[in-house]
Amino acid sequence: MKKYKYISLGIGLMSLLILLSFGQFFKENFSYVSVYYDVKEYCYEKKNPEHEYCKYYPTDEYLENYIENNDPKKVYKRYDAITLTCEIVENTIFNILQYFSPLLIAIMILGSVHSMFNSGMFENYLLKINYKKYLKNTYKLALKVSLITPIALFIIFFISSILTGFNFDYSNIDVRLSVYNEWKYDHFILYGCMICVIQYFISLLYSNLALYCCKKNKNMLVAIIMAFIMFLVVNIAIYVLLYSIILGNIFHLSGMSDYFNIAGYWFFDDISNHVLLIVLISFILQAISFIVLFLSYKDKEKVILSYEKQVS
């Protein structure tokens, strides 16, 4: 059970982040509630017209407009499950996962497997279990850990649905909202599923980078940092080398920068014309990383030699 403590830590941190994100949203959008009811009581209902709040509403019409347009209950009812989900994912602290998720996954993966590989038990452990089975079991862990991001997105959608009373009617939405996009809202189930699939593939990429770094460093903290740096290198290489230099300068492809920034694969303004492209990019990246990972671990003797160098 000890090896799962880092997985529990990752789940705990993700859960905390989700709670903080909802807290941030309601604080930023409904922190005025107490003031609103004071203004309504003291100024609108004339219970204390000399109150300092009342001087900010010089006319009855101005005051009435404020009371009518800022009623917290009415404002809250304007939110549907889709809008609340998008607000949480795109405009709260949750969006730090663009750069925090590779680190979180590296902690969960390396915290679970690194101690075995760099202890004096690894070679003896391989005498008791088939090497291919060991690799299979280890990668099963990576497959499971990579589910944390799509599951987190689903949980946010589920909580948003509960908080809005499962309201999916966005017909009265303010189209000026930053999260609004007609195609995204009209095809939200497809959009959400695609984001979850993309995130799973990208999380697998992060898991593969972490496993690759496992046998490269004796110190787990160094291995985690190395995995994160490798993510940054991959992200920059895809954006600068592939998109800006090759596709941009050579093939004159432009206006698609969001699709070649893998850290930003949490949401898109409009992917109606590029759904398959983004899924394909994320799949190819995790496939390439898996091939590199497989080649680095396929030779048992070389892996054991690397292990012996780590513990010697």
Side-chain angles (χ1 to χ4, degrees):
M1 296 296 295
K2 185 178 179 180
K3 72 174 183 177
Y4 294 114
K5 68 178 182 180
Y6 288 96
I7 294 178
S8 299
L9 174 64
I11 294 173
L13 289 173
M14 183 66 82
S15 301
L16 178 61
L17 184 61
I18 292 174
L19 291 176
L20 289 174
S21 298
F22 276 97
Q24 178 189 350
F25 171 81
F26 283 103
K27 182 178 180 180
E28 291 179 353
N29 290 275
F30 294 95
S31 60
Y32 72 95
V33 170
S34 61
V35 174
Y36 171 86
Y37 284 114
D38 284 344
V39 171
K40 184 177 181 180
E41 180 181 359
Y42 298 146
C43 309
Y44 186 72
E45 297 175 356
K46 308 295 185 181
K47 292 185 177 180
N48 185 8
E50 301 300 321
H51 193 278
E52 61 176 332
Y53 287 159
C54 300
K55 66 181 180 181
Y56 296 106
Y57 306 96
T59 66
D60 289 341
E61 182 181 1
Y62 188 55
L63 177 60
E64 188 172 343
N65 285 335
Y66 172 80
I67 296 299
E68 179 66 24
N69 296 328
N70 293 278
D71 187 336
K73 294 180 180 179
K74 292 181 179 179
V75 172
Y76 184 75
K77 288 182 178 179
R78 294 174 193 166
Y79 283 98
D80 56 89
I82 296 174
T83 301
L84 184 54
T85 299
C86 294
E87 286 283 359
I88 297 300
V89 173
E90 300 180 29
N91 294 328
T92 67
I93 193 175
F94 187 81
N95 62 28
I96 69 170
L97 285 176
Q98 293 184 57
Y99 287 94
F100 180 65
S101 60
L103 190 60
L104 181 65
I105 289 174
I107 292 172
M108 295 172 71
I109 292 289
L110 292 172
S112 301
V113 304
H114 191 274
S115 59
M116 171 65 74
F117 187 83
N118 290 284
S119 68
M121 302 167 54
F122 181 70
E123 194 168 4
N124 292 331
Y125 179 73
L126 290 182
L127 295 175
K128 301 177 183 179
I129 187 173
N130 180 272
Y131 181 63
K132 289 184 178 180
K133 185 176 181 180
Y134 165 76
L135 294 180
K136 185 178 180 180
N137 290 340
T138 301
Y139 202 68
K140 279 183 178 179
L141 177 67
L143 293 173
K144 293 176 182 178
V145 167
S146 299
L147 286 169
I148 190 171
T149 50
I151 289 177
L153 291 170
F154 176 79
I155 290 174
I156 288 174
F157 176 65
F158 184 68
I159 294 176
S160 298
S161 298
I162 293 176
L163 292 177
T164 58
F166 292 91
N167 174 27
F168 301 102
D169 179 14
Y170 55 88
S171 57
N172 295 320
I173 189 175
D174 184 353
V175 296
R176 295 170 297 178
L177 286 174
S178 61
V179 299
Y180 178 76
N181 174 269
E182 184 177 0
W183 186 92
K184 178 170 69 174
Y185 271 61
D186 289 344
H187 306 86
F188 189 74
I189 297 299
L190 174 61
Y191 170 84
C193 289
M194 288 298 98
I195 294 296
C196 287
V197 170
I198 290 167
Q199 269 305 307
Y200 185 63
F201 287 150
I202 293 300
S203 295
L204 273 177
L205 167 65
Y206 301 155
S207 295
N208 292 340
L209 293 177
L211 288 174
Y212 179 81
C213 294
C214 181
K215 67 186 184 70
K216 296 292 183 180
N217 295 279
K218 181 178 181 179
N219 186 286
M220 184 177 72
L221 179 60
V222 174
I224 291 173
I225 295 174
M226 180 180 178
F228 182 70
I229 292 175
M230 288 185 69
F231 147 72
L232 294 176
V233 171
V234 170
N235 191 41
I236 293 172
I238 292 172
Y239 188 84
V240 176
L241 182 61
L242 178 60
Y243 175 68
S244 298
I245 297 178
I246 298 178
L247 297 179
N249 293 334
I250 299 178
F251 295 98
H252 306 291
L253 184 67
S254 60
M256 298 180 66
S257 58
D258 289 347
Y259 308 125
F260 289 90
N261 174 23
I262 62 173
Y265 276 13
W266 287 90
F267 56 86
F268 299 91
D269 291 331
D270 183 7
I271 59 173
S272 56
N273 298 319
H274 304 102
V275 172
L276 294 180
L277 173 62
I278 301 168
V279 173
L280 183 62
I281 291 174
S282 58
F283 176 78
I284 290 175
L285 288 174
Q286 70 84 24
I288 293 174
S289 66
F290 174 77
I291 293 172
V292 173
L293 180 68
F294 173 77
L295 293 176
S296 69
Y297 276 93
K298 74 171 185 176
D299 192 326
K300 178 180 177 180
E301 301 304 321
K302 288 184 178 180
V303 172
I304 292 177
L305 181 63
S306 176
Y307 153 78
E308 290 176 344
K309 289 181 180 180
Q310 295 290 335
V311 298
S312 60

